[in-house]
Amino acid sequence: MIPILQVDAFTEHPFGGNPAAVVLDAQRLSDTQMQVIASEMRVAGTAFLMPATRKDCQWRLRWFTPTREIAYSGHTTLAAVHALVESGRLRGDHVVFETLIGALNASVIAGKTRRLIWLEPKVPELHPFAGQLAHVREALGLPSAAGWAHAVMTPDHDLLVPVAGLDVLRNLRPNLEALGEVATHAGVRGVCLVSRETIDESSATHCRFFAPHFGIPEDIVTGSVHSSIGIWLFDAGLLHANGALAAFTAEQGDSLGRPGRLRVELQLQNGAVARVRVGGSAVTVLAGSIASPDA
């Protein structure tokens, strides 16, 4: 039997935020077995932790959706860090993961009432979307994109699309089968619709994220996309710095009944973004063990 936890990420409350599964001691599993477990868990992301093979990393981390392995998942990484802390396997307040995209840093800040976990991916480079945005909008039931920024692609091949406000997000009626076909044809992993109108006055963005062709009809809270959202806002002149730091709170998941909140920080050097990190809290909702599937 192999230890497994289910963790709600980017929330301080059970049954909020985005659920992820975390499998410890995953070195016993084959690739096929990992995919079978991820399919069985039926959450957007399942993390598999095992000893690192690189000397500069402490753990090797792999991420699977219900249908495939992916290069990066933010909420699943947050859940993995939380699981290491909860199981007494994290030494100190910093960890470096060995991943498909290279070394990934994360850190933990323990407060009096909650634990804040920071993920620090590489500073993303954004590119204009070269596909047919009208086809994406049609599949989403989105009447038009807002004019406060241009649609862009992230390094994870997610498409960021600006929308006019919360009512636009609430009234979406996407054709998920059509969206999956359009996204696959355009080389898009997920489509993220971003509003600058928010539920909480202190927040800066509210979004919805769809990736039906990856087994995720709608992601609840997408940690990986928010480092790119920070760069996107900054490049559009919509995120202002206080000294060398530009920071904001982001919202996602409310329309699915699982509110999630993320902190995003951009550290600036000579007017350019030198470092980005995405933070949030997590809670364990289930802990147990799982049998190794036959494979």
Side-chain angles (χ1 to χ4, degrees), residues 15-38:
F15 314 118
N18 202 353
V22 183
V23 178
L24 304 170
D25 302 326
Q27 65 271 18
R28 311 180 200 174
L29 300 171
S30 68
D31 291 5
T32 301
Q33 289 174 318
M34 291 183 198
Q35 186 62 73
V36 169
I37 290 172

Side-chain angles (χ1 to χ4, degrees), residues 35 38-39 43-46 63-70 214-216:
Q35 186 62 73
S39 300
V43 290
T46 298
W63 306 276
F64 286 76
T65 76
T67 62
R68 66 183 77 186
E69 185 172 12
I70 57 175
F214 274 70
I216 307 170

